[in-house]
Amino acid sequence: AALTAAAGWIQRTSSPNATALAIEVTGQQYLIGTSGEIGGLTRTIEAEYRLVGDAAWLPFAGGASAIDISTNGRRTPLRLLYKLAVAEGQYEVRVRRASADETSDRQVSELAWSQMRTYQPDTADYAGRKRVGLKIKASGQINGTLEQFSAAVSARCLAWNGAAWVTAETSNPAWWALDVARGKRQGDRRVWGGLIPDARIDLENIK
């Protein structure tokens, strides 16, 4: 949503169970000098938040509602992120442009509240699972959701190499069947598999 003084406050609501909120501001902002040179420009927005159901609004950034956005004389697109840690809950966030809208052709300040992010606690149980984290810097060419992620992967389990049992990468279904039969335990808890003791498995025939 475009941030203009004429539009006033723009308000959005976070997802439930938020532990952090983030405002992303994008756009372009610069000054064109009398000789055509590009100069810097500073404009101010205001951002506030409150717990859903509360009456009072609180400043979003560092104890103050006002956030100064300054540029240093380049036409490159702006992409700014302001993040705030909060007590777990659902919140309303509002943003507006505090500076007056531009009236001069030499002053360009086109700012937008492109998205609000909600950070939630991950309470899922990942015991016995491998996870991959992927972090990509957003740009003019990369934004939104990554539609495809490809990888070459392999897995390791206990396998017989002809002389001894070793942990190795393998695609042999016999070793994986044995791995599932044995299973995995964490403390007193079964993570996966049958937890069948070796005394009940015919290891010689599996070899």
Side-chain angles (χ1 to χ4, degrees), residues 9 43-48 59-69 82 96 98:
W9 289 107
R43 293 295 182 261
T44 302
I45 64 172
E46 292 180 335
E48 298 177 338
F60 193 91
S65 298
I67 301 173
D68 289 334
I69 297 177
Y82 304 95
R96 71 175 177 181

Side-chain angles (χ1 to χ4, degrees), residues 58-111:
L58 304 172
F60 193 91
S65 298
I67 301 173
D68 289 334
I69 297 177
S70 300
T71 55
N72 56 358
R74 292 183 296 178
R75 293 194 183 190
T76 52
L78 290 171
R79 188 178 296 272
L80 306 170
L81 187 71
Y82 304 95
K83 187 176 179 181
L84 175 70
V86 294
E88 187 170 336
Q90 187 172 26
Y91 290 84
E92 294 172 319
V93 179
R94 65 180 187 179
V95 179
R96 71 175 177 181
R97 180 185 176 102
S99 299
D101 293 329
E102 306 304 332
T103 57
S104 170
D105 292 339
R106 291 184 177 178
Q107 296 177 344
V108 176
S109 178
E110 299 172 351
L111 302 175

